Amino acid sequence: MPEGPSLVLLREEAQRFVGKTVRAAEGHAAFDAARMTGRRVRDVRTWGKHFLLGFAGFSLRVHLLLFGSWLIDARKPRPPRLALRFARGELNFYGCSLRYIEGELDQAYDWSADVLSDAWSPRAARRKLLAAPERPVCDVLLDQDIFAGVGNIIRNEVLFRIRVHPESRVAALPPDRLSALIREARRYSFEFLDWKRAGVLKRNWQVHARQSCPNCGRKLRTTYPGRTRRRTFFCPRCQPRYA
DNA sequence: ATTCATGTTGTGAT
DNA sequence: TATCACAACATGAA
C-alpha cells in the first residue's frame, strides 16, 4: 500500500486531528507511546513515505514499510502497533516502524527531494543524479534521497512512460531522457495519487504486474536488477537500453 | 497451504 | 573502507 501518494491520503485523513490533544497513546512496550499523551498535535506532514505527526519540540515518525496500514475510528482484530486516542476519534497503525524525531522537521528532512512536495526541486534532483553517473536508473528512482516517495510501482510505470530500460546508466541517458525521468517521477506520482483516490489505480498500470506491452503488444520481461533486486517489469522493445 | 509483495534497516561476510 | 547478501520485520492477496 504505502508509496508516497498513499501517504498523502493518510495525511489528508489525519488532518482532522490537528489541534487536538492525544488523550491516550498505546503501543508496544519498546516504543514510548505515552510521551504523546496529553500533548497537542501541531501539524501533520509527510516526507516521501514518512508520516509525521508534529508536537511541540518533537515529531512522531511512522513508516509503513511494506505491509503497514492504518485505520481511523476502526480497529482490526489484532492490536495496533500504535493507537492514538483523541476526545473524538482514534488513529491506529499496524505493521509499521515508529520513531521520534527531535526538533524541527525542516532540519531533519530535505524537502526538495519529496516528489509530492511543493518544495520539490527538479534542479536538485538533476544535481544528485549527475553526481551518480554510473548508477542504473532502476536504482536511482528508488533512492529516497533523490526521489522520496517513489516506490516500486511508480518506478516501473515511470520507466515505461519515458521509454527507458531499467538497467540504463544515468550518464548514458540522452539529455531529454534525463529530464523526462525527473519530470515524470513527479508527474506520475500525482497521477498515481488521483487514481488511488478514485479507486482505479490498478487498472491504469501499464506495465506493473502486467503481461504484455500496451504499446507494441509484446510480452513484458520481469527481472530483479540493480542493487535493490526489486521486481521490475519492462518492454524490451519499447524501452531501449542506454548503456 | 504456500508464496509473494507498493520497504527499510541492520548484521556479518567478502 | 566499501560493497554485498541475507535476515528480520509484518500482513493480506492470489
Side-chain angles (χ1 to χ4, degrees), chain A residues 31-229:
Chain A
F31 184 72
D32 178 24
R35 180 179 184 185
M36 293 177 281
T37 305
R39 312 202 68 153
R40 200 171 61 87
V41 175
R42 280 208 315 191
D43 56 3
V44 178
R45 303 176 73 179
T46 55
W47 180 86
K49 301 164 191 166
H50 298 202
F51 173 77
L52 302 159
L53 208 55
F55 298 91
F58 70 97
S59 295
L60 168 71
R61 189 206 77 173
V62 181
H63 198 300
L64 297 170
L65 303 175
L66 196 50
F67 311 123
S69 61
W70 71 90
L71 285 174
I72 292 176
D73 296 344
R75 290 195 163 205
K76 301 190 181 199
R78 314 174 47 75
R81 174 62 58 90
L82 174 67
L84 293 175
R85 304 228 183 88
F86 299 85
R88 284 196 53 154
E90 63 181 45
L91 181 52
N92 298 310
F93 291 101
Y94 302 85
C96 56
S97 159
L98 302 169
R99 252 182 60 185
Y100 288 117
I101 293 171
E102 306 302 328
E104 294 302 315
L105 291 178
D106 287 337
Q107 302 292 326
Y109 288 102
D110 171 10
W111 296 93
S112 79
D114 182 350
V115 295
L116 289 155
S117 168
D118 291 342
W120 162 251
S121 167
R123 172 174 270 182
R126 177 180 301 271
R127 174 176 50 74
K128 293 169 190 169
L129 286 171
L130 294 177
E134 299 307 315
R135 296 175 67 193
V137 294
C138 60
D139 281 348
V140 295
L141 266 173
L142 291 177
D143 187 330
Q144 301 298 293
D145 292 331
I146 306 175
F147 296 106
V150 170
N152 201 33
I153 297 173
I154 294 175
R155 171 182 77 153
N156 284 325
E157 293 294 311
V158 165
L159 288 175
F160 175 72
R161 278 148 213 265
I162 67 173
R163 301 292 194 266
V164 169
H165 188 291
E167 294 185 75
S168 303
R169 284 182 304 109
V170 169
L173 290 182
D176 76 308
R177 291 304 84 199
L178 184 65
S179 298
L181 174 69
I182 296 166
R183 190 185 330 116
E184 193 67 10
R186 176 171 168 91
R187 203 195 62 74
Y188 179 74
S189 293
F190 279 103
E191 209 160 32
F192 182 121
L193 172 59
D194 292 340
W195 284 330
K196 181 98 187 170
R197 199 194 303 279
V200 296
L201 178 63
K202 278 189 190 179
R203 82 176 64 146
N204 283 291
W205 288 344
Q206 298 199 46
V207 291
H208 186 84
R210 293 257 114 98
Q211 300 291 322
S212 57
C213 175
N215 188 49
C216 73
R218 266 176 72 142
K219 193 170 189 288
L220 294 175
R221 198 160 291 171
T222 308
T223 57
Y224 294 81
R227 176 173 302 207
T228 59
R229 305 285 173 204

